[in-house]
Amino acid sequence: MNEISSTAPPEEATDEPLSIKLSIARQLSDRPQIVLIAVLVALIVVTAIIEPNYLSLAGLRNSAFFAVPIGVLAAGQTILMLTAGIDLSIAMIATASAYIAANQSPNGAAIAIILGLLFGIVAGTANGIGVGIFRVNPLIMTLATSGILLGLFTGWATTIFAGSTRMHDFIITLGRGTFLDGNVPWSVVVWIGVSIFVLLLLRRTGYGRNLYALGDNPIAARLSGTRAWQVLVVAYAISGLLGAVAGLLMGGRIGAADLQLAGFLLLPSVAAAVIGGTSIFGGVGTYTGTILGALILGVLQSLLTFLGAGQAVQQVLYGTIVVGLSWMYSRLAAAS
Amino acid sequence: MTTSQQPLLSTAGIAKSYGPVIALTSVDLSVAPGEIHALLGANGAGKSTLVKILASVFDADVGSVTINGAAVNLKGPGEATEAGIATVFQDPALIPDLSLDQNLTISGLRHSDVVPWLERMQLADLDFGLLVRDIPLASLRLVDLARALAHDPQLLMLDEITAALTPEQADRVFDVMREWKSMNRSVLFISHRLGEVLRICDVATILRNGRDVAHLDLSGIDEAELVTAMLGEELARGSKAGSPDAAPSRQTLSDKDRGVVLAAKDLHFRGRINGVSFELRRGEILGVTALEGQGQNELFALLSGDHRPTSGEIEINGERLSAYSPYKAIRKGLVLVPGSRHDALLPQRSIRENLATPLYNRIGRWFSLVADESERVDGAVARLNIDTRAASQVRRLSGGNQQKVTIGRWLVSDFEVLLCFDPTRGIDIQTKAQIYELLKELARDGAAVLMYSSELREIPLVCDRVLVMYDGSIVHEQSAATATEEILLTAAHGLESAPA
C-alpha cells in the first residue's frame, strides 16, 4: 500500500494561500459585476464630461430607451448561451411579432399583444425543436429561422399584413411613454418585470439548474438525468417570447412595424450578454451581468451619439467588444 | 537475453504527470537490437503513457531517452519516425470520416508503401476508397501496422494490437515481429494476453504504478510465474495473507431485507457483452474486475441506461427496465458514478449545484428549488467531508474532492443501486479510504453497490463478492474475502485458475 501513498497525487493548490494574481483572477471570473459597475460609472462620467447635459433625467432616459430592448433581447441570448446555444433569429422574431401586433392593433391592445407574444413563443419553439430534438446546430437553426422569417414577412408585408402597420396606442405608450412627470419610461418597467422573471428563473428554479448543468457539461447533465431536449425546447421558446416582448417595445417606440425594426439590435444583444460575463461555451453567466452589459451599451450609445459617430461605427464597436471581451473572459477563466 | 551490445533504445527515470495525476514515476527501460520486448503491467500502470512518450506524442516531465547510444530530444511524432521508431497506438490513429486513401496521403505515405505489407496481412483486397468508419476494427489495426512498417523502423512499438484481432490475424502479426527480430531490429510489444507474450517475446519489463518493477528473461517462465512477477513478491505475499480489513461482517440487515434489488438477465450488447447475468442484493457490495476492454464499460453503460442492450433484461426490484435512458434508470433508483470525472462534474458550477442537479431532472421539480436543498447538500458535504474552500467552481477542487462530489450527488437525491465505475482511480490514499468506508456504510444502510475496480487490491477491502469479466462474459465469481490477487488476475486473463 505504501506504493500508492508514495504516488498519491498532490492536493491541488487550494490548500495553500492563493497568490494575489490568482485570487484577483478568481474574483474577476467569479464576480465580473464589480468591474462592470466600475466600467458603467466611468462611462457615465466620461459622457457627462463630453456633454454636461447628459447627467439629467432626460439624458439618462435616452440611454434607457436604447438599453431596454437590448436588455430584453439579451435575456434570451443569456438563457441560450448558458446552454452553449445562441439565438440569431431573435431580432427577426422581434420584428415579426411587431408586424403581427401592428396588424392586430385594430382588434384591441390585448389581442395584438397576445398574438404578438404567441408568435414569439411559436417561432422560438420551432428553434427549440430543431436544436433540442433534431440536434441542428443552434447557429444554423436560428440563422435559418431568421432567413425564413425575413423572407415570409417581406412577402407578407404587402399582402397579409398590408392592413394596419400602426401600433395600438397602448403599445406605443409601453414603447415610448413615460410616467412620474415624464422621467421614467414605461418600457423600463417592462424590463424590470422581465428581469425579475429571468433572475428568478436562473437562480431560484430547478429549470435554471438544468440550464446551467446542460451548458457546462452535457454528458454530466445527461448522467444526472437531465433530458436535454426538454430543457432546450423550453429555453428557445422563452427566448422567442423575450424577442416578441422586445419587438413590441421597439414597435411601440417607433409607432409602427417595419422590416428594419430590430435587426440592428442582434449584435448588441449578444454583446450585452458577453460583456456581462456569459460564456458563449455555456455553463457560466448571470442575468445581472447582462443587465449591466445592456446599460453599458446604452450609455455607450449616448456617448457615441454625442461624439457624432453613426450606426456604422457603433456596429464596428459592438463587434470589437464581443471579440475582445470573449477573449478576455476566456483568459481569465483559464488563469483562475 | 542479456547482451553486451549497446541497446537500441533506453530510457532513464522517465516521469510524467497529468495535472495532479501521476502516470509515470520513474521508468528505466532498455531494448536491445534483435529483441522482442514485452511491456507488461496492470491497467493504469503507465504502459501506454510510456509508449506515447517514446513516440514523442507527449514530452516526459523528467528523464532521458537514448537511441543507439546517443541522447535524443525528439520533438513530435515526425522526429520519432525519422529516428527509426514507428508505433501502432492503442486506438486506431486514422480519421474516421476520410477514406483510407486520404488517410494515407495525410500521413505522407504512398499506396505502394503499404500495399506489400497489407498483402502480408492478407488484406490485399481492401478497398482504399472506403471511409475508415466503415472498415472493421481488426482491419484498421492491420492498416495501422502496415503504415508503421512502411516507415521501415528500427524499433516497432505495438500497443495492444492483438486485442481486436482473430488468432489467425495475430499470427500474421507475430510473423512480422519475428522477421523484424531476424533483421536484428526490435519490437516493443504490449498485450494483456500472457500466452502470446510468452510465445513471442524474449524479455519483459513490468510496470507497476508508473515504475519499472521487474526486468525478466522470459525463456523458461510460465504464466503463473509471470503473474506473480506482475504482482510483485511483497504484494503476492500480502494478498495471500488477506487484508486485516477484509470481509467486514455486515449482518445488520435481516435476511428478508436482503432481497434481490438488481438482476441482469442474459445481457448482450453488440458483441461486446455476451450473456452477462448476475444478481445484486440489498446491503451487498458486488465487485467487478477485468482487464481493460473486456466489456465492463459497456456493462455499466447498459445498467445506467446509457445504452440499450441488444438482448436480455435488467430488473430492478423485480420490475423490468423497459425504456433505456439515464433518466429512466435514475428514476428507478439505478444511479451511476462514472469512471471519468469529466463525465460527472459540472466543472464551472458550485459544489452545491453539482450535488443538487439530479434533484431537478423531472419537470415537476422545474418550477422552484427543493425546500430542503441546503440541508441535503450540507448533509452530503459533511458526510463526505468535502473540502469546501474552493466551492464556487468544482474544477478547482482536488481530484479526491471532485470524486466525493460525484458520489455525493446521489446522497443528495435517493437511490437503490449505486453503480460505481473505478471510484478510486487516480485519487489519494486517504480519500480512497474514506470512499471505501462510505460505500460500506451505504450498504449497511440497505443500499446495493456494484463497483467496478481495476485495482485488484481494492476488491477484498470493499466488496462482499466479486465477478471477473473477460471478453464480454463473467468468467469467475467468488466471495471477495478469499479473492487473492493471483486468482483474480489469472481469471482476468481468461485463464483457468489453478486448483487451490
Side-chain angles (χ1 to χ4, degrees), chain A residues 204-224:
Chain A
R204 304 295 312 165
T205 69
Y207 178 76
R209 293 297 175 80
N210 279 295
L211 267 181
Y212 282 105
L214 188 62
D216 198 10
N217 185 347
I219 297 172
R222 176 175 151 82
L223 292 179
S224 298

Side-chain angles (χ1 to χ4, degrees), chain A residues 10-16 18 22-31 284 329 332-336, chain B residues 20 345-351 354 387-402 405:
Chain A
E11 284 286 302
E12 212 217 303
T14 50
D15 292 357
E16 294 151 26
L18 300 172
L22 181 61
S23 72
I24 290 175
R26 282 193 180 179
Q27 281 296 327
L28 288 185
S29 88
D30 287 358
R31 272 180 286 279
V284 178
Y329 277 116
L332 265 184
S336 66
Chain B
L345 292 175
L346 311 173
Q348 305 173 101
R349 307 309 303 169
S350 64
I351 288 179
N354 269 275
D387 181 343
T388 55
R389 275 175 296 173
S392 67
Q393 293 197 8
V394 299
R395 72 195 169 99
R396 294 175 187 153
L397 298 179
S398 68
N401 273 306
Q402 289 185 342
V405 171

